Amino acid sequence: MKLSYVTDSLAHLSLEEVLTYITKQDVYHIELATGGWSPAPHVNLQQLLNDEQSFTEFKQLLERYQVDVVALNCSGNPLAPGELGKEHRKVTTDTFKLAEKLGVKKIVMMSGLPAASPKDTMPNWITTTVSWPPELKDALDYQWNDVAIPYWKKLVEVAKSHGIEKIALENFSAQLVYNPETLLHLRNAVDPIIGMNLDPSHLLWVGADPIQCARRLEGAIHHVHGKDVRIEDGVADVTTLLETREIDDVKHRAWNYVAVGYGQDLQWWKTFFSVVRMVGYEGFVSLEMEDLTMSPEAGVDASIAALKQVLV
């Protein structure tokens, strides 16, 4: 496995500044955000699609620094009702078009989360038993069978028409796909082009074991994020891991995203990557750094140093 870098972690820098920064640390592969939840600080999607001079200059910049784009990331909620879903669906299909122009074969995104009924205006993440109240069972059935599976069946055909070979869904909260079971449910219902973007940080805070999740996902891991989380002892013991505080209220949260090695020790990371490799994944590991307890540069530096020690 090789190290790549999610450019949003240095969103305050220009793309050229990011490339300068990471190549000085011998990182020559990037995962580039094109929109959705990301403001896409380094990509003007429409400009790259419609202005050939801008596209040429973009390609020349990457070539000058000898950096390859290993994946485009359009994570958002394409299943949301209303304008948000419409916007994110367009970003998704436009990202496929850009991937074709760049020769990129992998898209990182999220499954999306629908409303609980055709009349609802807000997505609804159902995370409790559907035995009570019984309406939840009908809502979950609607989300999967009336919205998600039909959408994804159509979308994978669009992806294939643009040369996409893998769609890696991040196991993020407030998405239909958030663990191995839900990923495999969608994959089996739709197409094996769909796999997991295995992000251990999200699995850890919901109480799963990412190492055992990797075993369960044998053959279905399409991408991996190098991202850590720390459960904050004392706070989590009282408030539980269900967390609604703002992401920057780090002192009072039950868990926080942290630089790699600041949540799980390096022996844990060695075991994680060993198992990921054992079940057949030999692709890229993209560093995604969202530690708000330190500067972006400090977090990126610490994470790159840690990942270089465990990606052997």
Side-chain angles (χ1 to χ4, degrees):
M1 289 181 284
K2 293 183 179 180
L3 180 60
S4 57
Y5 174 70
V6 182
T7 55
D8 272 17
S9 301
L10 294 172
H12 60 291
L13 301 181
S14 69
L15 179 57
E16 182 161 15
E17 289 171 329
V18 170
L19 300 181
T20 299
Y21 195 91
I22 63 171
T23 54
K24 285 182 178 178
Q25 300 188 63
D26 296 320
V27 179
Y28 290 90
H29 301 89
I30 59 173
E31 178 184 327
L32 200 57
T34 57
W37 299 130
S38 169
H42 304 114
V43 170
N44 185 320
L45 188 54
Q46 294 307 313
Q47 191 174 56
L48 291 180
L49 287 175
N50 300 310
D51 184 339
E52 286 305 312
Q53 181 176 346
S54 295
F55 180 76
T56 298
E57 291 172 353
F58 175 76
K59 287 278 290 180
Q60 289 173 341
L61 177 61
L62 295 174
E63 291 168 359
R64 187 156 66 248
Y65 285 87
Q66 299 181 305
V67 168
D68 291 326
V69 179
V70 300
L72 296 181
N73 189 318
C74 57
S75 293
N77 188 357
L79 303 183
E83 288 302 312
L84 178 68
K86 182 178 179 181
E87 174 189 336
H88 286 187
R89 287 190 292 274
K90 178 170 173 48
V91 168
T92 298
T93 53
D94 284 347
T95 298
F96 291 173
K97 295 174 185 177
L98 180 61
E100 184 175 20
K101 288 188 72 172
L102 289 170
V104 173
K105 302 298 184 181
K106 184 191 296 184
I107 303 295
V108 177
M109 55 186 297
M110 295 175 184
S111 65
L113 180 70
S117 80
K119 297 179 181 180
D120 288 351
T121 59
M122 289 289 291
N124 192 322
W125 194 33
I126 299 171
T127 57
T128 188
T129 177
V130 296
S131 297
W132 184 90
E135 296 91 334
L136 291 178
K137 186 174 183 179
D138 292 336
L140 198 59
D141 180 76
Y142 166 79
Q143 289 181 316
W144 277 102
N145 296 315
D146 290 3
V147 183
I149 291 173
Y151 169 78
W152 277 97
K153 283 183 175 180
K154 293 177 182 178
L155 188 66
V156 296
E157 295 307 315
V158 177
K160 290 177 181 179
S161 73
H162 291 289
I164 306 302
E165 296 176 355
K166 292 182 178 181
I167 299 176
L169 300 184
E170 185 170 343
N171 49 278
F172 189 64
S173 58
Q175 300 288 311
L176 274 186
V177 169
Y178 62 92
N179 64 8
E181 181 182 11
T182 50
L183 181 281
L184 294 172
H185 179 57
L186 186 64
R187 174 184 170 93
N188 292 337
V190 179
D191 194 288
I193 190 177
I194 296 173
M196 184 74 91
N197 168 31
L198 183 58
D199 187 320
S201 68
H202 308 314
L203 292 168
L204 285 162
W205 79 255
V206 296
D209 182 341
I211 295 169
Q212 298 309 316
C213 289
R215 296 179 189 274
R216 180 71 179 88
L217 288 164
E218 182 172 359
I221 301 174
H222 282 357
H223 196 62
V224 176
H225 270 178
K227 186 177 177 183
D228 208 346
V229 76
R230 182 173 62 233
I231 307 302
E232 304 294 2
D233 293 339
V235 180
D237 295 331
V238 175
T239 67
T240 80
L241 295 175
L242 302 179
E243 183 57 84
T244 58
R245 291 174 181 81
E246 297 285 347
I247 198 72
D248 57 356
D249 187 13
V250 293
K251 183 178 179 181
H252 300 106
R253 286 175 56 84
W255 55 269
N256 288 296
Y257 296 124
V258 290
V260 175
Y262 284 64
Q264 320 313 305
D265 63 26
L266 295 191
Q267 181 57 53
W268 184 93
W269 282 99
K270 288 179 181 179
T271 303
F272 173 70
F273 287 126
S274 176
V275 172
V276 168
R277 187 181 295 109
M278 183 179 70
V279 299
Y281 182 77
E282 292 288 352
F284 286 92
V285 175
S286 286
L287 165 61
E288 186 179 24
M289 209 298 295
E290 296 182 2
D291 192 329
L292 298 182
T293 71
M294 60 180 75
S295 72
E297 288 84 355
V300 169
D301 291 349
S303 297
I304 288 177
L307 287 169
K308 282 183 176 180
Q309 294 182 66
V310 297
L311 282 175
V312 294

